[in-house]
Amino acid sequence: MTSDESWIARAKHRGPRTLADGSAFMLAVNVAAFAAFAIALPDFRSPANLATVLVSSLPLLLLATGQTFVLVSAGIDLSSPALVGLVSVCGGLVMSADVGWLANHPAAVPVGLLAMLATGTAAGAANGFCVARLQMPPFMVTLTTAMFAGGLAVWLVHAVAQTETLFNLPEVFLALGRHGWVDGPLAVGAAFVAHVILARSLVGRWLHALGYNARAAYLSGVPTSRVIVCAYALSGLFAALAAVLLTARLETASPSHGRPLLLDVIGAAVIGGTSLAGGRGSVLWTAWGVLFLAMLGNGLTLLNLSDFVITIIKGLVILTAALLDQWRRHWRTTSASVADTVIA
Amino acid sequence: MTAHRIMPRTRFLFVLAAGAAVVLAACGGAGESGTAGDARSGRLTIGVAFETLQTEFWVAAWNALQARAAERQITLLEAVSDGDPAKQLDQVRTFLTRRADGIILVPKDGKTVIPMIKAANAAGVPIVLLNRPADATDAAHTVVAPDNATITRDTVAYLIQQARRSNPRVKAAILVGDLSDVNAVGRRDGFEAAVADAGGSVDVVARIPTDWNQEKALAGLQTALQAHPDIGLIFSSSDFMFPSVKSVLSAAGRWKKAGEPGHVVLGGFDGDATAWRLMVDGYVDATGVQDVFFEVDAALRAILDATQGRIPPPRIADPGFVLTQANRASLEARTWGAIVAKQGQ
Amino acid sequence: MSTDLPRSPSPAAPSAPDARGPAVPAVSWESVSRSFSGVPVLRRVTLQAYAGRVLALVGENGAGKSTLMNILGGHVPAESGALRLGGLPYAPRTPHDARAAGIAFVHQELNLFANLTVAENLHLHDFPRRAGLPWIDRAAMRARAAALLGQVGLHLAPDTPLDRLSTGERQLVEIARALGTAARVLILDEPTTSLSTRERERLFTLLATLRDRGLALVYISHDLEDVLRLADDVAVLRDGEVVAHGRAADFTGHRLVSLMIGRQVTQLYPARRDPPERASADRPDELGVPRLEVRGVSEPGIVRDITFTLHRGELLGLFGLMGAGRSELARILFGVYSAASGAIRMDGRPLAGGPRARVRRGMAFVTDDRRHDGLCLDASVTDNIMLATLAACCRTPARLVHAERVRATVRRIREAVRLSRAAEERQAVRTLSGGNQQKVVLARWLLAKPQVLILDEPTRGVDVGARAEIYRLVRDLADSGAGILVISSEIEELIGLCDRILVMRQGELSGELARDAFDRARLLAAALPATAAAATGAHS
């Protein structure tokens, strides 16, 4: 957070426009949501329920973290939720005791994990290559990748196992998904590393610059293509981590894992304050967004609202966040034409 | 310069953090003494998680569950996961943290449900799977599911009997479901058993794979009817494929009511609203019906038994019934499709 | 008349104008004040503009000129005081109100749509309809556009897409649009910054015509020479106050500068050392290997057979009209565009690769379009300054940015370029004035310690004070041994700053002047196309 304060430009004038800006705002929103639910719903504030909220949000945290890199680069990755399914299937094809390539082999788990992470990273890098080198629009590239990955995953499972899902994964692997103590530190640790990379590393700063103005970054000697490929590859890697978590939790490798999360992934990043226009963004903000969505989902479920209503409310919240993003940008540009005369 | 700018911000964050701590502490205190209000009042609380509410059958089951729970003074915690097993797992965990006394689950598939069963087992909460069984597992649970093979065998036996009235040698066709679905397998087996029971009088000329897909059913049935224009009996592994059957038979001039010349004896499985209407109109001869009300009752009873220390059986078969033109009037109240059809009017 | 000019040294406000205009001012600001977030930007400004006269408004960036005009244009309300339009009270709430009242605004940042045609741009606010139907009458639109373009002397097909036009041509389109709204008052904010000499002349002729037609013109510019040539009245703003207001004839350029910055300006351009001598065949070692050798660089349709040498410690100017291929040449040198043939050597070794490779070899490039190509406007001052050299402030092997080192580096360099104290390090550069933005760009490249620095229009939209500082920095860098190429359309700037000047015309080098031969007329003659040069030559 301190790094954000020293790094990220803030609007000059305090007031309503800073209120809707950055980490402090999201912290306040989260505290308010927490307080409201905690007061209204005794069930909500039970430690067991809070643990459920946190643990259930981990796959979303991983996916949204990866997405933040791409959003900051002024791109969008619509493929990461679909990659979760492909990666999951790849892991199953290596590790499953029924049809796995290394069924019951001692090396199954390390090789399987490696194959999963490699698949995700490679698919992400391929996205990045198309965007950076072939100059294709990110929206088109990743949408196509999503379709391709989704189809490939289903086809692989059918071709190899003649079923829709793969089962009987090694116990050691399943332990990665056991509620709480393993997957929690794993996901939070990965998100923390991602935060440091985005906020403090050379590549991270380059990513911000290139999201704000790719031409200026290019003309200043930033290796823009490599940095973009890196952003998409990281998104793929985090999709793979999410796939590990979901596959282990559900004890099943399935092409449909992750896919329902697409809106939540982009929504969490945008709620956190990461800009869809690029440049502005932080993994920490995204984590606040994830936490908010998780609390909202849980709280509304405890209110016994139907799933459809919850989906509608979530959609409205994400819409509001996108609107807020738009306003922030508007404030910044209009205040600039005025502020030109204020500062100098 | 910057120091005094940052100060108010730091103070703001500090105040927020302090506020959060106070709220947390308050909640922690309340959390220890507080329990689910329902548990104290003696009312039973059951978590119900459906994979989908997008078809009539599940809506009928959902409504039946709510009605029966209300009669028995049971509180329901409800959740729908829209085909997402990860979400359903979270919903089950939420039920557990809310201290539900039992869980009734409609899973997406037989595999992803296993971690949910394990989670319930670990919390010592009984869990019942409605209509869809889990794959082999040693985790304890109860399945309430229709006996597909038996119901189908009885249905098809009735169909054969009807067909043989006009023609002693019957040419028959079956629309087979997606064979990765245990329901489809059970229904296919029931069909074959009935054919075997009939001795040599039934000749199965087409076994049409549909993968539960209307278009495939349509195309397959068209081909079969061209090759064998004299098909006298068609069994559809699910009622939802009747529209395809109707369209093929109409095109061939064979869409006739029972009793009219050229009528093809038709049967299905499920007992949905379409099947009910077609039976009322006289086109369909019989359908195997899953007894939703029995299943819902059995599920609730299993959980009640478990809460009172009696271990429910691992498997409760829904015997279902064969709805025929003959018994249609008397079984209307037990046929879920009839109720849906009536509401739809 | 108004005497509320506390710091005004002497001249009274211009009294009611002579026979050319009515006694009622077309626009008058009466004790107008405005502040932003408690910072006063305008303090009780009283000012008049008359029909048939040009009022020039001068002042450093941040003096309040833009805000004063924004109040008139309905973009920002005044906090106190009043406006009168032709003697009647006037309080616009939106830009639309102002437009309806006959106020036309030609902004510094052009408000045109590059994806539309010229004709469409001219009619954004009032597409001609076909007899009350909701369809656009394209024929009428084209005819009217052609008439408006004729008025500003721009001979273009109305259907030309705007993105085919040069910046200068777009400026004229913007003025044509203002004319199309039947304006009574025309405000021009820095209209000449991106114009070539020829286009500027054309603009001035046009403005004189408009004035004579009875429009009140308000002209904001940093170019004091233009101001004195064009204006009838001049008002000088400093720190939100009118410090002088009078007839243009009563001012000199020198006095205007002193009034604007509140002190005497002794020297805009830094002193030169003895001119570096060329490395000649008999004394090859004297200056060492040239910083940059360009040999026969050609790219069809853009530049042809460019050959020149940039020496150590040399400030080489490159003059030319817009469209002569100057900026394109700069981009070829920096590896943004490729050239079909020719060779470029830096410090004796061939140059290859894109901008990144050039930066690593010690080359730097300040673009002419800092808002689009130079700065990340919404990123902080720090991020923008560190953009090219952040790797040097990273800890290996994790390549994490060393925050303390960055802070120290930024502190040091902002002192060196004298970046305004008001500019916080984490503030978005969008909020800085043009001069401070350019200093940020310069700071970025100074940190890279370039051996070769290419500057394309380095003082466009930069106020006088910042200009002098930029010149000083560039001169210091040259004195430390770097070779510097300065591209500019301002002859004075090149003459004042450079050791040698090259001239480009239609993609070719058309002249070279050593310092002792610097001469406005000769530079202009070399830059103008052959036929036009003959005509101008007769005048100068």
Side-chain angles (χ1 to χ4, degrees):
Chain A
M1 208 167 102
T2 48
S3 67
D4 286 326
E5 282 186 349
S6 66
W7 278 110
I8 305 297
R10 295 188 183 283
K12 170 80 175 166
H13 310 294
R14 313 272 148 185
R17 81 177 65 107
T18 29
L19 202 66
D21 222 22
S23 225
F25 174 65
M26 276 317 293
L27 181 62
V29 167
N30 272 293
V31 169
F34 178 85
F37 282 128
I39 290 163
L41 297 161
D43 284 347
F44 179 82
R45 61 186 192 229
S46 78
N49 184 59
L50 293 179
T52 304
V53 171
L54 293 177
V55 170
S56 67
S57 67
L58 294 178
L60 179 60
L61 174 65
L62 288 169
L63 280 169
T65 297
Q67 186 72 234
T68 306
F69 284 97
V70 176
L71 288 179
V72 165
S73 83
I76 192 164
D77 187 355
L78 302 175
S79 72
S80 63
L83 287 181
V84 170
L86 179 64
V87 169
S88 170
V89 164
C90 286
L93 290 176
V94 174
M95 295 183 291
S96 164
D98 303 328
V99 296
W101 172 54
L102 290 177
N104 301 316
H105 192 281
V109 174
V111 173
L113 279 174
L114 214 62
M116 292 174 87
L117 300 186
T119 306
T121 312
N127 278 335
F129 179 82
C130 293
V131 172
R133 293 276 171 182
L134 308 183
Q135 305 273 309
M136 293 164 72
F139 165 76
M140 233 11 252
V141 170
T142 56
L143 194 62
T144 317
T145 305
M147 292 168 71
F148 181 78
L152 183 65
V154 173
W155 180 81
L156 275 176
V157 179
H158 270 276
V160 175
Q162 291 84 44
T163 56
E164 294 189 330
T165 49
L166 301 167
F167 196 46
N168 277 338
L169 301 168
E171 272 305 316
V172 183
F173 177 78
L174 297 186
L176 289 174
R178 286 284 142 69
H179 202 150
W181 300 117
V182 185
D183 52 3
L186 189 91
V188 172
F192 177 74
V193 170
H195 174 68
V196 172
I197 290 177
L198 186 57
R200 304 292 304 273
S201 81
L202 183 61
V203 171
R205 298 321 304 173
W206 276 345
L207 209 51
H208 282 277
L210 133 88
Y212 279 123
N213 187 344
R215 288 191 58 78
Y218 175 70
L219 290 175
S220 299
V222 172
T224 43
S225 292
R226 265 195 283 150
V227 176
I228 289 176
V229 171
C230 190
Y232 284 87
L234 278 168
S235 179
L237 176 65
F238 275 86
L241 288 173
V244 169
L245 227 67
L246 279 169
T247 308
R249 266 188 197 179
L250 295 165
E251 306 185 10
T252 311
S254 158
S256 62
H257 285 346
R259 223 176 301 170
L261 290 176
L262 179 60
L263 183 65
D264 283 5
V265 169
I266 293 171
V270 174
I271 288 172
T274 296
S275 172
L276 288 170
R280 269 172 55 86
S282 145
V283 172
L284 187 76
W285 300 354
T286 297
W288 287 124
V290 169
L291 190 62
F292 180 71
L293 272 185
M295 282 201 292
L296 191 70
N298 180 267
L300 296 177
T301 308
L302 294 184
L303 284 170
N304 252 351
L305 292 181
S306 97
D307 209 55
F308 309 111
V309 176
I310 295 177
T311 310
I312 290 170
I313 294 177
K314 269 190 182 177
L316 287 177
V317 167
I318 293 172
L319 193 71
T320 310
L323 211 62
L324 207 60
D325 175 35
Q326 194 63 36
W327 284 341
R328 278 189 206 121
R329 262 185 274 155
H330 183 71
W331 282 331
R332 206 161 299 125
T333 41
T334 50
S335 71
S337 65
V338 171
D340 255 348
T341 60
V342 179
I343 307 144
Chain B
M1 263 307 287
T2 44
H4 77 271
R5 299 194 67 91
I6 288 170
M7 268 269 284
R9 171 179 218 84
T10 323
R11 203 180 308 143
F12 170 65
L13 291 181
F14 180 76
V15 169
L16 266 184
V22 170
V23 174
L24 267 172
C27 296
E32 277 161 36
S33 59
T35 51
D38 298 324
R40 249 180 302 166
S41 67
R43 263 181 87 136
L44 216 53
T45 305
I46 295 179
V48 182
F50 273 41
E51 176 256 325
T52 175
L53 273 183
Q54 304 237 350
T55 61
E56 287 173 357
F57 178 76
W58 298 120
V59 177
W62 183 264
N63 292 338
L65 248 177
Q66 283 180 325
R68 291 293 198 272
E71 284 167 19
R72 292 170 189 243
Q73 309 268 311
I74 293 171
T75 306
L76 291 187
L77 309 173
E78 296 162 356
V80 182
S81 63
D82 273 331
D84 181 1
K87 195 168 173 181
Q88 194 164 46
L89 177 59
D90 293 337
Q91 288 167 344
V92 168
R93 285 196 184 132
T94 307
F95 291 156
L96 296 176
T97 60
R98 295 176 76 186
R99 304 177 193 199
D101 300 294
I103 293 171
I104 296 176
L105 204 64
V106 177
K108 177 159 187 294
D109 57 67
K111 289 170 179 172
T112 51
V113 70
I114 289 171
M116 304 176 206
I117 300 174
K118 286 180 181 166
N121 283 181
V125 172
I127 182 165
V128 178
L129 306 193
L130 195 62
N131 206 272
R132 283 183 186 162
D135 279 21
T137 174
D138 44 9
H141 66 286
T142 297
V143 176
V144 182
D147 186 345
N148 282 294
T150 312
I151 301 172
T152 307
R153 195 192 63 207
D154 296 349
T155 308
V156 176
Y158 173 83
L159 294 174
I160 292 172
Q161 184 194 333
Q162 293 298 309
R164 287 183 68 186
R165 280 192 186 168
S166 54
N167 190 344
R169 288 207 56 82
V170 181
K171 287 199 174 176
I174 173 174
L175 295 170
V176 183
D178 180 350
L179 289 180
S180 67
D181 174 356
V182 288
N183 291 322
V185 175
R187 293 170 200 177
R188 194 235 4 230
D189 293 349
F191 176 85
E192 298 295 349
V195 170
D197 289 347
S201 59
V202 179
D203 185 8
V204 182
V205 294
R207 294 180 174 84
I208 301 156
T210 66
D211 291 333
W212 293 140
N213 179 317
Q214 290 260 30
E215 277 89 67
K216 274 193 175 177
L218 187 90
L221 192 58
Q222 244 159 10
T223 315
L225 204 64
Q226 264 157 19
H228 305 280
D230 52 346
I231 283 177
L233 186 160
I234 298 173
F235 173 75
S236 167
S237 292
S238 171
D239 286 346
F240 85 89
M241 293 190 289
F242 275 136
S244 295
V245 176
K246 177 183 175 183
S247 126
V248 173
L249 288 182
S250 304
R254 304 278 311 270
W255 185 248
K256 302 278 198 251
K257 294 183 180 182
E260 291 178 357
H263 169 68
V264 178
V265 174
L266 282 184
F269 195 100
D270 281 342
D272 71 9
T274 309
W276 175 259
R277 290 195 195 99
L278 288 175
M279 285 191 73
V280 171
D281 294 346
Y283 294 101
V284 169
D285 296 85
T287 190
V289 179
Q290 318 192 42
D291 193 341
V292 173
F293 306 101
F294 173 89
E295 290 182 20
V296 164
D297 273 334
L300 289 173
R301 210 177 319 116
I303 285 173
L304 288 176
D305 283 354
T307 54
Q308 289 157 16
R310 291 191 296 272
I311 298 172
R315 192 178 166 83
I316 302 171
D318 163 16
F321 53 87
V322 182
L323 185 73
T324 67
Q325 288 293 357
N327 65 13
R328 181 158 67 79
S330 61
L331 289 175
E332 181 173 351
R334 281 176 61 195
T335 306
W336 62 271
I339 297 165
V340 173
K342 209 175 289 170
Q343 284 164 350
Q345 274 164 9
Chain C
M1 291 253 53
S2 165
T3 49
D4 189 23
L5 301 168
R7 277 201 260 161
S8 171
S10 65
S15 52
D18 46 31
R20 270 203 294 181
V24 181
V27 185
S28 63
W29 291 262
E30 290 168 5
S31 198
V32 168
S33 297
R34 170 75 206 191
S35 60
F36 289 106
S37 312
V39 181
V41 177
L42 291 177
R43 306 168 205 240
R44 298 165 51 74
V45 168
T46 297
L47 199 59
Q48 301 82 29
Y50 292 94
R53 289 178 79 81
V54 178
L55 168 68
L57 212 51
V58 298
E60 284 196 283
N61 277 352
K65 299 171 307 218
S66 297
T67 306
L68 195 59
M69 290 307 121
N70 281 333
I71 289 175
L72 182 61
H75 295 271
V76 178
E79 278 168 355
S80 66
L83 287 173
R84 283 178 179 277
L85 209 58
L88 301 172
Y90 162 72
R93 269 172 303 177
T94 63
H96 184 80
D97 287 354
R99 228 177 1 253
I103 289 174
F105 212 140
V106 178
H107 285 274
Q108 191 173 4
E109 310 298 334
L110 299 180
N111 284 323
L112 296 171
F113 293 86
N115 55 337
L116 299 181
T117 68
V118 171
E120 285 164 340
N121 267 294
L122 286 174
H123 292 92
L124 282 180
H125 299 296
D126 54 340
F127 280 107
R129 299 286 168 73
R130 206 185 282 274
L133 296 175
W135 288 286
I136 294 167
D137 186 345
R138 300 203 77 91
M141 185 170 88
R142 249 179 249 122
R144 187 150 167 257
L148 287 172
L149 290 175
Q151 285 189 36
V152 296
L154 200 56
H155 301 291
L156 282 173
D159 287 334
T160 315
L162 193 85
D163 53 13
R164 299 248 188 89
L165 271 56
S166 71
T167 322
E169 290 169 327
R170 291 183 195 196
Q171 183 89 58
L172 293 176
V173 170
E174 179 108 354
I175 293 172
R177 183 165 81 184
L179 295 181
T181 59
R184 288 193 285 164
V185 180
L186 179 63
I187 305 162
L188 298 113
D189 192 358
E190 293 284 355
T192 57
T193 42
S194 37
L195 298 195
S196 65
T197 316
R198 194 166 37 136
E199 285 168 328
R200 182 184 308 213
E201 291 305 322
R202 192 152 73 172
L203 175 68
F204 285 178
T205 316
L206 172 65
L207 294 184
T209 317
L210 295 176
R211 173 189 59 194
D212 295 342
R213 274 184 15 197
L215 258 73
L217 298 183
V218 181
Y219 185 87
I220 301 174
S221 179
H222 285 128
D223 192 321
L224 301 180
E225 202 182 316
D226 287 356
V227 163
L228 292 175
R229 247 185 82 191
L230 188 70
D232 301 299
D233 307 316
V234 176
V236 184
L237 266 106
R238 185 171 76 226
D239 299 331
E241 291 179 83
V242 176
V243 293
H245 184 195
R247 293 180 180 259
D250 300 338
F251 291 91
T252 63
H254 196 76
R255 201 179 136 226
L256 280 180
V257 171
S258 305
L259 285 167
M260 280 164 63
I261 64 178
R263 61 186 150 92
Q264 292 283 320
V265 175
T266 47
Q267 189 83 51
L268 186 58
Y269 299 102
R272 271 175 280 223
R273 294 187 314 178
D274 290 335
E277 303 194 23
R278 309 285 177 77
S280 55
D282 47 312
R283 290 186 307 171
D285 308 333
E286 201 78 359
L287 285 158
V289 187
R291 281 298 183 204
L292 199 63
E293 291 175 272
V294 181
R295 295 284 171 269
V297 167
S298 295
E299 172 68 20
I302 295 176
V303 293
R304 195 160 57 240
D305 195 25
I306 302 288
T307 298
F308 70 90
T309 304
L310 175 62
H311 297 283
R312 279 169 184 273
E314 186 179 32
L315 251 165
L316 178 61
L318 181 58
F319 178 69
L321 305 180
M322 303 263 304
R326 304 164 311 171
S327 297
E328 290 77 3
L329 176 62
R331 276 155 202 262
I332 288 173
L333 295 180
F334 197 61
V336 186
Y337 300 154
S338 58
S341 62
I344 306 170
R345 297 168 77 81
M346 183 172 158
D347 293 326
R349 287 189 296 133
L351 261 182
R356 180 163 173 75
R358 312 270 163 141
V359 170
R360 293 186 139 190
R361 286 282 301 275
M363 202 183 224
F365 176 40
V366 175
T367 70
D368 60 333
D369 188 349
R370 66 175 165 265
R371 297 179 77 86
H372 289 112
D373 296 344
L375 290 168
C376 302
L377 288 174
D378 292 313
S380 65
V381 169
T382 296
D383 277 351
N384 273 286
I385 288 180
M386 296 306 297
L387 191 53
T389 50
L390 194 59
C393 288
C394 289
R395 288 194 202 94
T396 46
R399 303 267 255 168
L400 289 187
V401 176
H402 194 304
E404 202 42 57
R405 208 178 295 165
V406 165
R407 213 165 295 143
T409 309
V410 171
R411 289 264 153 79
R412 184 167 53 75
I413 199 72
R414 66 175 294 171
E415 282 305 315
V417 302
R418 297 200 197 149
L419 187 64
S420 161
R421 280 177 199 286
E424 279 184 66
E425 273 139 36
R426 57 171 205 228
Q427 184 179 337
V429 291
R430 185 188 285 282
T431 58
L432 301 184
S433 68
N436 281 318
Q437 285 183 351
Q438 193 70 335
K439 284 178 182 175
V440 167
V441 176
L442 268 180
R444 173 197 302 163
W445 289 118
L446 290 180
L447 280 179
K449 300 196 174 64
Q451 308 301 307
V452 171
L453 172 62
I454 303 169
L455 298 153
D456 195 355
E457 301 286 1
T459 57
R460 176 180 290 176
V462 170
D463 56 279
V464 176
R467 225 173 242 237
E469 275 155 14
I470 288 171
Y471 294 145
R472 177 184 57 78
L473 289 167
V474 170
R475 172 50 70 186
D476 287 350
L477 187 65
D479 288 348
S480 72
I484 299 175
L485 182 67
V486 183
I487 299 171
S488 177
S489 353
E490 287 188 45
I491 296 183
E492 293 305 331
E493 176 170 278
L494 292 178
I495 290 178
L497 188 66
C498 296
D499 300 316
R500 185 160 61 103
I501 299 175
L502 303 173
V503 184
M504 263 184 104
R505 175 172 68 202
Q506 295 172 339
E508 289 180 81
L509 282 184
S510 58
E512 175 180 345
L513 278 78
R515 204 170 100 192
D516 44 16
F518 283 176
D519 174 51
R520 287 185 62 94
R522 285 178 63 186
L523 282 169
L524 210 53
L528 291 175
T531 48
T536 326
H539 285 290
S540 59

